[in-house]
Amino acid sequence: MFICHNDIHLIESFLLHYRAMGAAHFIVLDDASTDGTREFLLNQNDVDVWESPLRYSEARRGRQWREQLFEAYGKDRWYVNVDSDEFLVFADCETRSLSELVGVLERAGDKRLAAPMIDMYAGPGVRPNLTRNPPWTISDHFDSSGYDVSLDKRGVSVKGGPRGRRFDEDNELMKYPLIYWDSSCYFGSSPHRPLPYDRNFPKNWGALLHFKFFVNYKEKIAEAVKEKQHFGGAVHYQRLSKEIDENGTIDLYDEAVSTKFAGSQQLVDLGFVTPIKWSEPKSDNALTPPPVPPA
């Protein structure tokens, strides 16, 4: 299940990414897209497209939509729960499927997969282009250090990354993109801390490659400032817009912490993602791994 708004530059890669992991059906709430995203999705045989008379902010920043769709499609089942600019990765995801990952979670007693959002951005010399290649071949760098991790009664908190480094922001980065939804679940005050809270301490972690700063980020930021659909009247996007006005761009690259993405094992080695001991050998009909650029 995912929410999207004007993500025509990402949506094809998004679907290909999750299909390669074994996703057989998609549920999407399209929030009034005007760039062709909705029309593209309507032409996909494995996608159910939903609309709403409410906009994102009116639907409790999308939490109401998610709850209603989970209710409609059924409780007591696993869902991938993401946005269209979030690409899930986990240990060995190049050769292992979502269904295999669910098996690991169930054997561990986890009902959620924890996953911090890792903001991706272009490194030096990268020229944006709109191809079918995975977005991490364009926005190919991330901050490999500079994160703060803490615990409270509602779950694990992860903050920092390039937005913290450059703009002194304390955005919550932790999400739970693979979730077992039952009658005990609902989204309270934050999409980052679903209830019941005691499920927000799972043993297994993945990561969400987050493409907020993709090739069309200037247009997306300008639109967010104008429409004011995000938290606090889009105050975060106003800061980003000011940076663009003053410097013409947002350059997040920093030689000290910026690292080129090289696949799931790299994130395991850096501590973002937990290693997984798969109890069963890879099946003969393993999924074709999503392409990963060379290190």
Side-chain angles (χ1 to χ4, degrees):
M1 188 273 166
F2 66 101
I3 293 174
C4 72
H5 172 70
N6 284 351
D7 254 336
I8 192 63
H9 298 314
L10 278 172
I11 198 63
E12 185 173 8
S13 291
F14 175 91
L15 295 176
L16 290 171
H17 177 73
Y18 286 100
R19 285 170 181 153
M21 289 182 173
H25 199 81
F26 297 85
I27 308 162
V28 57
L29 190 293
D30 180 63
D31 181 24
S33 290
T34 57
D35 68 343
T37 298
R38 178 178 175 275
E39 291 75 15
F40 177 84
L41 290 168
L42 286 170
N43 283 320
Q44 306 303 305
N45 293 330
D46 56 354
V47 179
D48 290 350
V49 182
W50 292 77
E51 299 176 359
S52 173
L54 305 178
R55 290 301 311 276
Y56 183 75
S57 62
E58 299 169 314
R60 295 168 39 228
R61 287 192 290 151
R63 300 192 299 279
Q64 180 177 336
W65 292 333
R66 296 184 193 275
E67 290 170 349
Q68 289 181 305
L69 287 171
F70 289 152
E71 182 74 25
Y73 282 85
K75 297 178 181 177
D76 302 316
R77 62 190 302 182
W78 287 91
Y79 290 92
V80 176
N81 177 44
V82 292
D83 293 331
S84 54
D85 61 0
E86 296 171 348
F87 288 59
L88 175 63
V89 294
F90 52 89
D92 307 312
C93 64
E94 294 85 358
T95 57
R96 295 286 183 167
S97 68
L98 289 167
S99 61
E100 290 176 291
L101 177 59
V102 166
V104 170
L105 299 181
E106 290 181 336
R107 289 190 292 273
D110 291 342
K111 290 186 178 294
R112 291 168 187 170
L113 177 76
M117 292 190 297
I118 300 177
D119 285 322
M120 305 295 293
Y121 50 87
V126 174
R127 292 191 174 187
N129 61 82
L130 302 178
T131 70
R132 298 181 66 203
N133 292 332
W136 57 80
T137 64
I138 300 171
S139 295
D140 59 348
H141 280 70
F142 65 99
D143 279 19
S144 58
S145 61
Y147 298 85
D148 296 319
V149 181
S150 61
L151 292 174
D152 61 33
K153 65 180 181 180
R154 298 191 301 161
V156 182
S157 175
V158 178
K159 297 183 178 182
R163 285 181 283 167
R165 169 171 55 82
R166 280 292 313 278
F167 302 104
D168 197 29
E169 293 188 350
D170 63 347
N171 309 84
E172 179 57 64
L173 302 179
M174 180 58 79
K175 281 193 168 183
Y176 299 88
L178 187 57
I179 185 168
Y180 184 82
W181 193 266
D182 58 26
S183 58
S184 299
C185 297
Y186 64 98
F187 294 105
S189 59
S190 169
H192 299 274
R193 301 291 184 87
L195 286 92
Y197 295 139
D198 61 1
R199 298 182 183 180
N200 293 339
F201 303 90
K203 306 171 190 67
N204 293 282
W205 284 37
L208 287 171
L209 305 186
H210 186 212
F211 292 94
K212 176 185 287 287
F213 300 99
F214 199 51
V215 293
N216 60 331
Y217 72 89
K218 293 181 183 179
E219 293 84 352
K220 296 278 286 185
I221 290 170
E223 181 183 51
V225 170
K226 179 180 179 180
E227 295 193 348
K228 294 182 171 59
Q229 292 295 313
H230 294 270
F231 178 77
V235 61
H236 163 65
Y237 290 93
Q238 292 174 27
R239 294 192 192 102
L240 298 179
S241 180
K242 182 179 179 182
E243 173 80 3
I244 294 170
D245 289 342
E246 292 178 352
N247 299 307
T249 188
I250 297 178
D251 183 6
L252 296 176
Y253 182 82
D254 185 294
E255 187 173 348
V257 296
S258 295
T259 302
K260 189 172 183 178
F261 178 65
S264 67
Q265 185 58 49
Q266 177 193 43
L267 298 183
V268 172
D269 294 341
L270 289 170
F272 288 98
V273 171
T274 56
I276 295 177
K277 184 177 181 180
W278 304 96
S279 63
E280 298 177 358
K282 183 175 62 175
S283 63
D284 292 336
N285 59 347
L287 298 165
T288 301
V292 175

